[in-house]
Amino acid sequence: MSETAAKAPGSGLGAAVDPNRWKALAFIAIAQLMVVLDATIVNIALPSAQQDLGISDGNRQWVVTAYALAFGGLLLFGGRIADLWGRKRAFVVGLGGFAAASALGGAATNEAMMFGARALQGAFGALLAPAALSLLAVMFTDAKERAKAFGIYGAIAGGGGAVGLILGGFLTEYLDWRWTFFVNIPFAIVAAAGAWYVIREPEGGRNRSALDIPGVILSTLGLVSLVYGFTRAESEGWSDSMTIGMFVASGVLLLAFVLVESRVKAPLLPLRVVTERNRGGIYLSLGLAIIAMFGLFLFLTYYLQIVKGYSPVKTGFAFLPMIAGMITGSTQIGTRLMTRVAPRLLMGPGFLVAALGMLLLTQLEIGSSYAALLLPAMLLLGLGMGTAFMPAMSLATQGVKPQDAGVASAMVNTSQQVGGAIGTALLNTIAASATTSYIADHIAGASSRSQQQLVQLEGMVEGYTSAIWFAVGILVAAAAIALTLVNAGRPGGSTVASSEEGAQDEVAVPVVAH
């Protein structure tokens, strides 16, 4: 493609093609990998950190929860700040803050210092993640190039969590849990330095409107209440009064947020971003798919380590086929077909292939063979998710006004974050209930200690498979939503342009509704 300036049809704006866009993608990918793997790398190190810092069993969940609350609660605000400051500045500041918070976590001497560091990581991650995705959205406008760029980004977004399990296992087993935090620092320095020199953000993309303070407060409190409600449900149960109170508060706050956004002149989240049919379908289907994925990571990690006796490192390597599948699905299937078929014809079948892989895992038993059952299941899951994630990531930001790119990207991250919180709590509760029921029904017949241990292991596996059945249904629902709501056709021209007004002319290139 020519490196000369190209006009975006219908936009009236000259959009010069950035010759450094592929170099920029490399640094954006490094930053995205750091954020995604951080979500799982700390889980592997948690037992060692808990022992060293004297964190009680009751408080250890806050190592994960503090990050999740800050990240999930501040994403919309972070996306809006990226639109206001400019994506490049938000990206670099987010990286610097994330590195500093990681250094604080690695140097923690008590639980308060650790919880504070995790909350700071979440806050800067909420600035960094939407800035990264929206930079791709505004820098890659050619349809074929956009497909390749989002294929790489989608593979990292999907596979980074599994990479975190491998890296976390190595660092914890052979070095020290503190390195699961310190490892972020070189990632951040390289990505920030590269971005500063390479990224040239297109002109006219900032949203300089006054910040919607009521919207910031309502969305942050509403999302924090929602994420904390699901997190608390996992540990305290769904009937706990605080859990119910959090869900009620979240519903009231988020409803008030929607009412405020429909009336203010410069909303934090312009409702046209989420009410547009394709984006709404993507946010919903992605959130559902993440519910299934997060539960799976949790159950397979426990199954491999507790039932099969794998070490942390071996467990991490056991997830490699899923990473390979995601990379293949995203960069080979999704990228090659995205400009040839409608996005829903990649997303729907992709989620169904992932559901087929999940269906295989409902056959798990104590003695299940890794090669005969887990390997093909993980390959199918990876292929399906990689194929579906790639067009979803691209279409979620396609055709958005440049001034809204940050907040549209933040909604992608928000649907994933909320989906992760729901998945961990909901599927864990289903699994725990099935395990308790199985053990209660079978423990009486176990006379020896070894038989009792066997019943407990069988109960755990029964719990996992019961929850995985629900995950299969959730993925089928995600496929149905993608096939029904996402009606955009394949990109019909070479350039994806941003609209100037509302959702009715979201994409300047021909997009055929089917």
Side-chain angles (χ1 to χ4, degrees), residues 361-412:
L361 291 174
T362 61
Q363 307 306 306
L364 268 184
E365 295 174 355
I366 289 179
S368 291
S369 161
Y370 177 83
L373 182 66
L374 275 79
L375 178 64
M378 285 201 270
L379 280 170
L380 285 170
L381 271 161
L383 274 172
M385 285 297 196
T387 302
F389 269 45
M390 187 260 149
M393 292 281 189
S394 177
L395 192 59
T397 52
Q398 183 173 302
V400 183
K401 297 194 331 185
Q403 296 89 334
D404 295 336
V407 80
S409 301
M411 275 302 300
V412 177

Side-chain angles (χ1 to χ4, degrees), residues 128-504:
L128 172 61
L133 183 54
S134 56
L135 274 170
L136 288 190
V138 297
M139 291 178 74
F140 288 90
T141 53
D142 177 80
K144 288 186 178 178
E145 288 195 345
R146 187 180 176 92
K148 289 178 186 174
F150 276 90
I152 294 166
Y153 186 89
I156 290 169
V163 174
L165 292 172
I166 298 171
L167 192 56
F170 259 109
L171 294 173
T172 304
E173 204 165 316
Y174 298 116
L175 290 172
D176 186 77
W177 67 264
R178 296 182 185 277
W179 282 97
T180 60
F181 286 89
F182 292 145
V183 74
N184 290 331
I185 299 170
F187 274 107
I189 290 171
V190 169
W196 186 258
Y197 288 107
V198 167
I199 292 175
R200 298 287 179 270
E201 203 173 337
E203 293 293 324
R206 290 197 194 178
N207 184 344
R208 300 182 188 275
S209 306
L211 200 58
D212 170 22
I213 300 299
V216 169
I217 294 169
L218 288 169
S219 68
T220 301
L221 291 178
L223 288 170
V224 163
S225 299
L226 183 64
V227 173
Y228 184 58
F230 280 108
T231 304
R232 189 176 175 87
E234 184 186 358
S235 57
E236 304 298 328
W238 296 90
S239 58
D240 174 67
S241 57
M242 176 69 86
T243 302
I244 295 168
M246 283 291 127
F247 286 135
V248 172
S250 170
V252 171
L253 287 163
L254 293 176
L255 181 60
F257 171 67
V258 172
L259 291 173
V260 166
E261 298 308 276
S262 65
R263 293 165 188 254
V264 296
K265 185 178 178 183
L268 172 71
L269 175 63
L271 294 183
R272 63 179 176 270
V273 170
V274 289
T275 54
E276 197 273 324
R277 176 174 177 160
N278 290 287
R279 272 193 292 278
I282 282 167
Y283 297 147
L284 194 54
S285 59
L286 267 185
L288 286 171
I290 292 293
I291 289 175
M293 283 296 289
F294 261 66
L296 179 77
F297 273 134
L298 187 72
F299 298 140
L300 278 188
T301 301
Y302 278 117
Y303 174 79
L304 291 169
Q305 289 194 23
I306 296 174
V307 179
K308 304 296 276 187
Y310 284 21
S311 68
V313 172
K314 190 175 179 182
T315 300
F317 275 106
F319 279 97
L320 276 178
M322 190 184 295
I323 301 175
M326 282 181 175
I327 292 170
T328 304
S330 190
T331 61
Q332 299 304 310
I333 301 172
T335 300
R336 291 173 186 274
L337 294 181
M338 188 180 150
T339 55
R340 300 179 187 178
V341 301
R344 73 161 189 258
L345 299 181
L346 289 173
M347 290 177 64
F351 288 137
L352 288 175
V353 168
L356 182 60
M358 200 75 83
L359 188 63
L360 287 179
L361 291 174
T362 61
Q363 307 306 306
L364 268 184
E365 295 174 355
I366 289 179
S368 291
S369 161
Y370 177 83
L373 182 66
L374 275 79
L375 178 64
M378 285 201 270
L379 280 170
L380 285 170
L381 271 161
L383 274 172
M385 285 297 196
T387 302
F389 269 45
M390 187 260 149
M393 292 281 189
S394 177
L395 192 59
T397 52
Q398 183 173 302
V400 183
K401 297 194 331 185
Q403 296 89 334
D404 295 336
V407 80
S409 301
M411 275 302 300
V412 177
N413 296 112
T414 301
S415 67
Q416 291 176 312
Q417 186 65 23
V418 172
I422 295 170
T424 305
L426 180 64
L427 296 181
N428 219 20
T429 305
I430 293 165
S433 175
T435 295
T436 304
S437 177
Y438 183 92
I439 292 173
D441 290 344
H442 294 80
I443 199 72
S447 53
S448 66
R449 184 176 176 83
S450 61
Q451 286 178 324
Q452 288 173 350
Q453 288 176 333
L454 181 64
V455 167
Q456 288 179 330
L457 286 177
E458 286 173 344
M460 288 176 66
V461 176
E462 176 70 20
Y464 301 155
T465 54
S466 297
I468 289 170
W469 272 111
F470 276 85
V472 171
I474 290 168
L475 281 172
V476 170
I481 288 167
L483 289 167
T484 305
L485 289 183
V486 179
N487 66 347
R490 67 180 179 82
S494 62
T495 306
V496 178
S498 51
S499 70
E500 293 300 309
E501 293 293 333
Q504 67 273 16

Side-chain angles (χ1 to χ4, degrees), residues 1-18 141-142 202 494-497:
M1 175 176 175
S2 169
E3 301 291 353
T4 56
K7 284 218 170 194
S11 70
L13 295 171
V17 175
D18 187 348
T141 53
D142 177 80
S494 62
T495 306
V496 178

